Amino acid sequence: MADKSLNRTEFVAAVAAESGQTQAAVSGIVDSLFSVLAKSVGDGTKVSIPGWISVERTDRAARTGRNPQTGEAIDIKASKGVKISAGSKLKAAAKG
């Protein structure tokens, strides 16, 4: 795991410094970005930024599981999840 992290405030400040925009402007853009991302994925639309990232909704089928404490079989309802995939540029950046 990474021993460093970048929180939202630090991220906004770094993007503002890189782009020459104000932190308030960048913060609004980040909010809008995630709002559009959440709405699109929630509607079942795959969001893809080639080379960087793709995000899509997945469907999990109903299945039978086991209660780990009792070993009793339980029914697990169908549900939805989110799959996030790193693109080639992001993978290359991670390799350093």
Side-chain angles (χ1 to χ4, degrees), residues 23-65:
Q23 287 188 26
V26 172
S27 182
I29 291 168
V30 169
D31 288 341
S32 297
L33 173 99
F34 284 108
S35 175
V36 170
L37 180 66
K39 182 176 181 343
S40 297
V41 172
D43 291 341
T45 302
K46 180 178 180 177
V47 177
S48 179
I49 301 172
W52 290 105
I53 196 166
S54 65
V55 183
E56 64 185 306
R57 186 173 73 183
T58 60
D59 295 315
R60 291 190 198 107
R63 62 193 190 280
T64 301

